[in-house]
Amino acid sequence: MTSTAPDHHRTRVPAEHRVLGLDRRTLLPALVVTGVFLLLTVVVPRVDTFIRWDDSVRAGERFALADTIDITPVTGWSVESGFRLDEESTSQQTGELTVTGDGVSVDVFPGSFDGTPAELLEQTDKVTTLANDPTFRVVGDVTTLTTASGETGVMQPYSSVISDGLAAAFVIDGTGLRVRVYGPPAQMIASAADVEDMLASIRTTDRNDS
């Protein structure tokens, strides 16, 4: 006759692995996760607050993502990489933009693409570092995102225990824009309006007429 009662002796943690009733084999991973959480939610935002940025976005500055696509980052945010338009609205180079502010990072990656924004979103790596986070999960559905100039894209939010964020995608005149926004949950909420304004500022321009 086979017993169906749970065999507690088989699941009980051996005495040599117990500390204060806990399985000490799980303590190190738990401490690592806790340490990363405190680093990203407490230490990084505080360091970010005290660091004096030496390359901040000035009011009205635009950055060239492609030959005819610009974006206006939030005034005061730090420029990690990007190509400014000069007073004549010209730039010798175009390409990726990364800006940070209040613990939130915004990355825009332009490139040739002939599909739809939804297809580009599917290809977007939603923050590579978070892909290894076991708490990472997509939250909510894909929604439509429209810029102030009428360009239409899509976006999808995601969340994890150490960071929240969103991935967005636009396809404008054969150029795909992959957007990643991420930061600690509290900072993401505080910066939501700034991020929305930044994405809404994406537009096409004819620089020959500027």
Side-chain angles (χ1 to χ4, degrees):
M1 180 176 182
T2 303
S3 174
T4 58
D7 188 349
H8 297 293
H9 295 290
R10 291 184 178 178
T11 60
R12 185 177 177 80
V13 177
E16 64 271 23
H17 293 307
R18 292 200 303 268
V19 176
L20 299 176
L22 302 175
D23 187 348
R24 65 182 182 184
R25 294 171 296 184
T26 65
L27 292 180
L28 180 58
L31 289 174
V32 171
V33 172
T34 302
V36 172
F37 174 79
L38 293 176
L39 175 66
L40 295 180
T41 60
V42 178
V43 177
V44 172
R46 287 185 178 276
V47 170
D48 180 72
T49 300
F50 288 105
I51 291 177
R52 176 176 292 178
W53 302 114
D54 56 6
D55 190 12
S56 299
V57 178
R58 295 182 290 275
E61 279 193 322
R62 292 182 292 149
F63 286 72
L65 300 174
D67 289 341
T68 59
I69 304 175
D70 305 337
I71 186 172
T72 305
V74 177
T75 302
W77 281 37
S78 175
V79 180
E80 302 294 333
S81 64
F83 302 98
R84 285 180 169 87
L85 290 172
D86 57 24
E87 294 181 353
E88 286 74 37
S89 296
T90 60
S91 176
Q92 297 300 316
Q93 291 182 279
T94 65
E96 298 178 5
L97 171 73
T98 296
V99 292
T100 61
D102 299 328
V104 174
S105 294
V106 176
D107 302 316
V108 185
F109 305 98
S112 299
F113 191 76
D114 58 5
T116 67
E119 291 171 340
L120 181 59
L121 184 67
E122 291 178 355
Q123 299 181 12
T124 301
D125 177 5
K126 301 178 182 70
V127 185
T128 303
T129 54
L130 289 179
N132 296 323
D133 183 351
T135 66
F136 169 84
R137 62 189 176 91
V138 172
V139 292
D141 298 325
V142 177
T143 58
T144 300
L145 180 65
T146 303
T147 69
S149 63
E151 305 293 346
T152 300
V154 293
M155 61 169 287
Q156 187 166 32
Y158 60 83
S159 179
S160 77
V161 70
I162 59 176
S163 178
D164 282 353
L166 65 86
F170 297 87
V171 178
I172 303 171
D173 297 333
T175 297
L177 301 178
R178 295 184 297 114
V179 181
R180 300 188 311 194
V181 184
Y182 57 96
Q187 279 67 38
M188 284 294 297
I189 294 174
S191 302
D194 286 341
V195 171
E196 182 178 347
D197 289 345
M198 198 178 321
L199 297 183
S201 75
I202 294 174
R203 65 173 188 172
T204 58
T205 58
D206 185 351
R207 300 204 180 110
N208 292 326
D209 294 336
S210 298

